[in-house]
Amino acid sequence: MRAETHKAREQENSEELLPVLWSASSPRAGLLDTLPHRPPVPGRLSVALAVVARTPQGKIGMHHVTRHQHDQMGRPLETLFDVGYGALARGLKMAVRGSGEDALVSITRENLPAAAAVALPDRYSQLARTSAVATCSSA
């Protein structure tokens, strides 16, 4: 039992590179000038990268990857986004309730944010697979 609890705490405290959403209407949107980012909805919504982990107090801690840090890494930005999107997708849980126009899709992630899933490059195929599974299991 102690080993399982210790392992669960390690997983909660492990850092992950994840995509993070930024709204253009945020009071802190000016910080995007210092962060490498991609605009899935130009002029309204951007996605940057952050190292994310639970703090000892159980809160979510983030350290955004700056342009300077990215330059020091020497890796193409697309590679870092691929790593971040991969980490996000691995932890996602999608559920579809209803069907047709009444379908409601919920996307969750245990312990860490999932909002950036709206910017996943293959989000439509993931939703289609999830929808097919949900439709099959509800029959």
Side-chain angles (χ1 to χ4, degrees):
M1 184 80 152
R2 283 186 177 177
E4 290 174 5
T5 303
H6 179 71
K7 186 174 181 177
R9 283 189 186 142
E10 277 184 359
Q11 288 176 344
E12 284 181 8
N13 294 329
S14 65
E15 294 181 337
E16 288 186 283
L17 181 67
L18 293 173
V20 180
L21 294 180
W22 282 76
S23 171
S25 64
S26 166
R28 301 184 77 192
L31 291 175
L32 275 175
D33 292 338
T34 64
L35 307 176
H37 61 279
R38 297 287 179 257
V41 183
R44 295 191 176 260
L45 187 67
S46 292
V47 178
L49 294 167
V51 177
V52 182
R54 286 279 177 185
T55 67
Q57 296 80 24
K59 298 179 181 181
I60 296 172
M62 288 188 198
H63 298 282
H64 294 278
V65 176
T66 65
R67 291 184 189 279
H68 177 72
Q69 289 168 328
H70 169 245
D71 290 343
Q72 289 181 328
M73 290 177 191
R75 295 177 71 186
L77 187 57
E78 291 310 314
T79 300
L80 294 177
F81 269 101
D82 288 346
V83 169
Y85 283 133
L88 176 64
R90 275 190 303 278
L92 287 180
K93 293 179 180 128
M94 296 186 202
V96 179
R97 291 172 187 83
S99 62
E101 291 181 14
D102 294 329
L104 174 66
V105 177
S106 64
I107 302 172
T108 59
R109 190 162 198 273
E110 195 171 317
N111 295 321
L112 293 172
V118 299
L120 282 170
D122 61 345
R123 67 190 169 277
Y124 297 113
S125 63
Q126 287 187 4
L127 286 173
R129 285 192 304 271
T130 302
S131 179
V133 170
T135 301
C136 292
S137 64
S138 64

